[in-house]
Amino acid sequence: MNLDYSLLTKEELIGKLEEKQLLVSQLLLEREQETRLDYAWSGNLGTWYWNIKTDTVTFNPLKATTLGYSLEELPKDVGFSFFTDKLHPDDYHKVMQSMIDHLKGTSPVYEVEYRIQAKDGSYKW
C-alpha cells in the first residue's frame, strides 16, 4: 500500500481526503450500531464515568432511557447516588464491594451484574 501522496494533484488529494472521511463516517456508524446491538444482547446499561472529585456521572443515555427516564427528566448534574440509590437491596453490597476492589486496584476492571430499579418500580438486570 503506497501512502506517498506527494505526487498527487490538489484535486486528487481532495478526493483522497473525501474518500477517507467517508470511510471514517461509515466505520463510526458501524461501531455505533455494534454498540447498540451489544447492549441489547448483553443487557448492559451502557457506559458511565464517575468524577469522584465533583461527584458527577457522565453516562451513555441508554442507561437512563432503559430505566424509563427521558433525558429531560434527569437532573442537570447527575451524581453517583442517582443510580446507586436504585440498586436492589440484595445486590447493593456486592456492587459496592466490586467498585471498591476496582478503585483499590485489586480488580483490573469494574464489572458486576445487578438489579436496578426502573422508573416504574420494576427491577432490571
Side-chain angles (χ1 to χ4, degrees):
M1 175 189 265
N2 183 5
L3 298 177
D4 182 8
Y5 297 132
S6 63
L7 300 176
L8 297 179
T9 66
K10 180 180 176 182
E11 290 75 25
E12 290 171 322
L13 284 171
I14 290 172
K16 289 284 185 190
L17 282 172
E18 290 172 345
E19 181 181 86
K20 300 289 184 203
Q21 285 177 324
L22 182 61
L23 177 62
V24 167
S25 295
Q26 186 60 39
L27 289 171
L28 288 172
L29 177 62
E30 287 176 12
R31 179 65 182 137
E32 181 181 334
Q33 291 169 341
E34 287 172 6
T35 299
R36 278 197 225 129
L37 193 61
D38 283 348
Y39 290 154
W41 281 104
S42 70
N44 189 330
L45 289 179
T47 56
W48 58 277
Y49 305 94
W50 176 34
N51 183 327
I52 296 172
K53 290 182 180 180
T54 63
D55 188 35
T56 54
V57 177
T58 304
F59 54 92
N60 179 324
L62 184 61
K63 187 166 183 77
T65 57
T66 300
L67 295 174
Y69 294 94
S70 69
L71 297 180
E72 296 76 28
E73 292 178 282
L74 300 176
K76 182 179 180 251
D77 295 316
V78 174
F80 180 70
S81 65
F82 181 81
F83 292 110
T84 57
D85 287 351
K86 293 170 180 42
L87 292 172
H88 191 283
D90 293 343
D91 299 333
Y92 185 86
H93 178 72
K94 173 181 72 171
V95 171
M96 293 297 109
Q97 189 60 54
S98 292
M99 182 173 295
I100 289 167
D101 291 345
H102 178 61
L103 292 173
K104 285 182 174 180
T106 58
S107 174
V109 295
Y110 171 68
E111 185 174 1
V112 63
E113 189 173 332
Y114 58 87
R115 291 164 287 186
I116 188 166
Q117 191 171 37
K119 180 180 173 184
D120 67 5
S122 67
Y123 283 93
K124 297 185 182 281
W125 278 97

